[in-house]
Amino acid sequence: MRSDTIETASAEDAIVSGAAQPQLPQLPQLPQLPQLPQLPFRSLNEAKIPLPPIATQHAIVAEIEAEQALVNGSRELITRFEQEIQTSLARVWGE
């Protein structure tokens, strides 16, 4: 028998026994991370969350409303431009 070949029976035995599988290096054990403390829902319900002064709240609302008006205006422009594009395409294609 040649030295670079393995008999079928011994190859099967090696696979079954796990000898043919490469040995992976052992990874170091990772340290355990500390667990975060648990916060009961009751504590969340009882928590007091500070709010900004009423004048600041009104200013925030005004800024949001102004942004919403800009978005709505942009949506109207998009609709108008889409209609103009369709009209131009229909004119070009002779529809």
Side-chain angles (χ1 to χ4, degrees):
M1 176 168 106
R2 295 185 348 210
S3 62
D4 61 338
T5 62
I6 300 175
E7 292 180 21
T8 306
S10 62
E12 289 174 1
D13 292 341
I15 291 171
V16 170
S17 69
Q21 297 189 8
Q23 295 296 320
L24 298 176
Q26 289 292 339
L27 296 176
Q29 194 70 2
L30 296 175
Q32 287 291 89
L33 297 176
Q35 286 194 333
L36 295 175
Q38 294 186 0
L39 185 62
F41 283 109
R42 183 180 52 212
S43 298
L44 291 175
N45 288 334
E46 295 171 359
K48 300 204 184 279
I49 301 172
L51 296 174
I54 194 73
T56 304
Q57 293 179 41
H58 286 298
I60 292 170
V61 169
E63 285 183 43
I64 292 172
E65 288 174 344
E67 291 291 329
Q68 285 177 337
L70 288 173
V71 169
N72 290 336
S74 296
R75 285 188 178 137
E76 290 173 14
L77 280 175
I78 290 171
T79 301
R80 239 175 43 212
F81 284 136
E82 285 175 342
Q83 290 171 350
E84 288 181 24
I85 290 169
Q86 292 302 320
T87 302
S88 297
L89 288 174
R91 188 175 53 244
V92 168
W93 292 106
E95 293 176 5

